[in-house]
Amino acid sequence: MSLLLKNGTYIHPETLKFTTSDIIVHEGIDGKIEFVSRIHEDQFENILDCSGKYITQSFVCGHHHIYSALARGMGAPKKNPENFNEILEYVWWTLDKCLDAEMIEASALYTAMACIKNGVTFVIDHHASPNAIKGSLEIIASAFEKVGASHLLCYEISDRDGMDKSEEGLCETAEYLRNHQGLVGLHASFTISDDTLKNAVELAKQTETGIHIHVAEAKSDQDHCVSTYGMRVIERLEKFGALESGKTILGHCLHLSENEKKIISNSPAWVVQNTESNLNNKVGYFNAVGLGGNIMMGTDGMHSDMLRSAKAAFFVGQNFDTIGYDSVYQRFRNADRYLQSNGFKGHGPNNLVVLDYDTPTPFNTGNFFGHFVFGLESKHVQHVISQGRLVVENQKILTVDEEKILVFAKEQAIRLWAKMKG
Ligand SMILES: [Zn+2]
């Protein structure tokens, strides 16, 4: 079954060429789009009038955490965190230990809904639930598919709760990768022993995938690495062969030496920046200088709005980074290149957003970047097409009952918060 987008203006995501045409959108994981004129409308079950609207490739979140979805508005932690490690200990590691299967499902359903409403149809997630590891990735994958979001998942393997938990994380990963595209997740250097790192890299190589890990998010990750292993985080990852795959994703990368930057830029690995999370955790500022071109953007679980992430990266970057109008868009779109060059499925040309963008000024190829930074917002996302299927129409989700999921999520949030109080 195909969908017809009538008379919209398509913006090519790379060339930024504007083309006004009817577009046939074919369904499926490898579905294509066709620009056509003079077609018989009666052959289409679904026709959207896109006159005056802009159509472009939908968006990708390069680093998300569905596990944080039920944290919004929860009470203060037992101790007020004074640094990044205390934020992890008193907020996130307290929360993730309390997650069970139902809470994970609610978190994934809500996150997928929030993503697609913002035009984000592909999510690269990094999941942790140390007391509900087995089957957790399958729960997330099913929830995402139910809502209509494509995904590249991993479980955050870590020794922070004991070696039996890291072993379980490794097993969950191996099991999941048997039937799904995904990555081998690791928390961060400071919670991973040499044995665990070795096993994770081995699994990634066996399954022909990459590692997804937080790197030097705070300076404490480097201090721990230097005092424990006598080398810096990227040097350690390189030593274990973790940087050899173009599928590998390094989250944050805020506190790197010149040598580490050189190692990254000479490797096929990818960096993902998460500006608002860095601001919130007061851990530092991302700077792309010396890191090479493989940089994409994520939200780190803060929210599910990639247009917002791009704006944050641009404005914060005016003081702390060398980011310009073209490079912010490039970084925003780099996740497309990450997925395509690695052969990951679910982000082909039949993943689209239809934008109802009311601008008081001319909008064209020549001034696209100015509109991207100062104009386009997720509120302009009117319709969303995921793998050729209309999943959001007039800002309403078509695939699942949004109200029902919000009720379910609230029930699970109340349960989670009570459990966290212990
Ligand atoms: Zn993260």
Side-chain angles (χ1 to χ4, degrees):
M1 206 191 314
S2 307
L3 166 70
L4 178 66
L5 305 180
K6 260 198 86 60
N7 200 31
T9 299
Y10 179 78
I11 307 171
H12 191 284
E14 286 166 36
T15 64
L16 302 178
K17 186 171 176 239
F18 284 45
T19 310
T20 301
S21 167
D22 292 346
I23 302 174
I24 301 174
V25 184
H26 294 280
E27 217 174 284
I29 203 154
D30 290 316
K32 300 273 178 283
I33 56 173
E34 280 177 75
F35 294 83
V36 288
S37 53
R38 276 195 248 159
I39 32 123
H40 295 291
E41 287 186 18
D42 47 1
Q43 67 186 90
F44 297 94
E45 205 167 285
N46 218 346
I47 300 172
L48 283 182
D49 180 11
C50 296
S51 304
K53 309 286 162 71
Y54 298 95
I55 301 164
T56 193
Q57 180 87 15
S58 57
F59 316 136
V60 178
C61 177
H63 183 76
H64 211 324
H65 295 290
I66 68 102
Y67 72 71
S68 67
L70 304 182
R72 194 186 300 176
M74 75 183 177
K78 280 179 188 148
K79 179 184 184 298
N80 195 24
E82 282 169 27
N83 55 48
F84 179 62
N85 287 40
E86 287 192 0
I87 292 173
L88 291 178
E89 193 179 335
Y90 292 104
V91 181
W92 301 114
W93 294 352
T94 304
L95 182 149
D96 68 14
K97 281 191 196 64
C98 293
L99 291 172
D100 62 24
E102 269 193 304
M103 297 170 191
I104 296 167
E105 190 190 8
S107 302
L109 285 168
Y110 172 74
T111 302
M113 291 198 315
C115 283
I116 62 166
K117 283 180 95 175
N118 288 324
V120 176
T121 57
F122 198 108
V123 182
I124 302 176
D125 193 80
H126 197 269
H127 176 66
S129 52
N131 292 317
I133 298 175
K134 194 170 163 31
S136 58
L137 296 180
E138 195 67 57
I139 293 171
I140 300 167
S142 302
F144 271 51
E145 284 157 25
K146 206 167 152 188
V147 175
S150 302
H151 51 82
L152 187 65
L153 309 181
C154 69
Y155 186 83
E156 178 187 294
I157 298 163
S158 170
D159 300 327
R160 66 175 144 102
D161 299 305
M163 299 307 283
D164 54 331
K165 294 292 181 191
S166 53
E167 186 56 38
E168 223 184 302
L170 210 62
C171 289
E172 168 66 7
T173 307
E175 186 61 36
Y176 181 76
L177 290 175
R178 258 192 268 279
N179 304 309
H180 300 274
Q181 63 180 12
L183 297 168
V184 177
L186 284 166
H187 171 243
S189 171
F190 71 99
T191 72
I192 298 155
S193 63
D194 280 352
D195 276 350
T196 301
L197 179 52
K198 185 171 150 276
N199 291 338
V201 173
E202 218 168 82
L203 176 62
K205 284 187 178 162
Q206 277 166 14
T207 52
E208 294 178 0
T209 192
I211 297 286
H212 188 176
I213 182 172
H214 296 112
V215 170
E217 180 173 2
K219 193 176 159 287
S220 52
D221 193 19
Q222 291 288 10
D223 295 343
H224 175 275
C225 200
V226 170
S227 65
T228 313
Y229 306 106
M231 65 187 90
R232 295 178 66 87
V233 174
I234 289 297
E235 293 159 359
R236 184 172 180 231
L237 293 178
E238 186 193 32
K239 183 183 151 193
F240 281 85
L243 306 178
E244 291 163 18
S245 170
K247 294 178 179 174
T248 285
I249 301 176
L250 312 170
H252 301 293
C253 291
L254 299 188
H255 303 275
L256 300 181
S257 68
E258 289 310 311
N259 184 49
E260 287 178 296
K261 289 179 190 172
K262 204 180 292 167
I263 295 171
I264 291 176
S265 66
N266 287 332
S267 82
W270 284 75
V271 171
V272 58
Q273 73 169 110
N274 305 274
T275 306
E276 288 158 299
S277 165
N278 300 155
L279 294 176
N280 181 47
N281 288 326
K282 294 188 269 190
V283 285
Y285 301 97
F286 181 80
N287 191 323
V289 173
L291 287 173
N294 287 354
I295 301 171
M296 54 183 168
M297 290 175 173
T299 62
D300 205 21
M302 292 274 291
H303 55 77
S304 298
D305 183 346
M306 287 309 298
L307 288 172
R308 176 175 152 188
S309 283
K311 283 178 174 59
F314 181 83
F315 294 120
V316 175
Q318 296 313 298
N319 277 321
F320 301 101
D321 193 359
T322 50
I323 194 165
Y325 290 92
D326 53 347
S327 55
V328 64
Y329 180 72
Q330 191 63 55
R331 272 189 225 173
F332 172 81
R333 282 291 181 200
N334 269 346
D336 301 9
R337 185 159 62 82
Y338 167 80
L339 294 172
Q340 275 148 22
S341 64
N342 285 308
F344 289 125
K345 298 280 188 184
H347 192 61
N350 64 344
N351 294 277
L352 299 163
V353 287
V354 178
L355 303 165
D356 184 12
Y357 179 50
D358 47 345
T359 171
T361 57
F363 182 29
N364 52 52
T365 304
N367 68 7
F368 176 86
F369 296 136
H371 285 271
F372 181 71
V373 171
F374 297 110
L376 283 168
E377 290 179 17
S378 56
K379 72 173 182 188
H380 299 117
V381 175
Q382 185 181 6
H383 313 305
V384 181
I385 294 146
S386 178
Q387 295 189 20
R389 187 162 65 122
L390 188 62
V391 292
V392 173
E393 185 175 12
N394 291 317
Q395 303 191 324
K396 292 274 176 287
I397 293 179
L398 301 179
T399 47
V400 289
D401 185 333
E402 189 174 359
E403 295 304 315
K404 249 192 192 159
I405 288 172
L406 291 178
V407 169
F408 174 53
K410 275 174 198 147
E411 283 166 9
Q412 298 309 313
I414 291 164
R415 242 172 26 84
L416 172 64
W417 298 356
K419 207 169 161 188
M420 285 173 73
K421 274 189 187 153

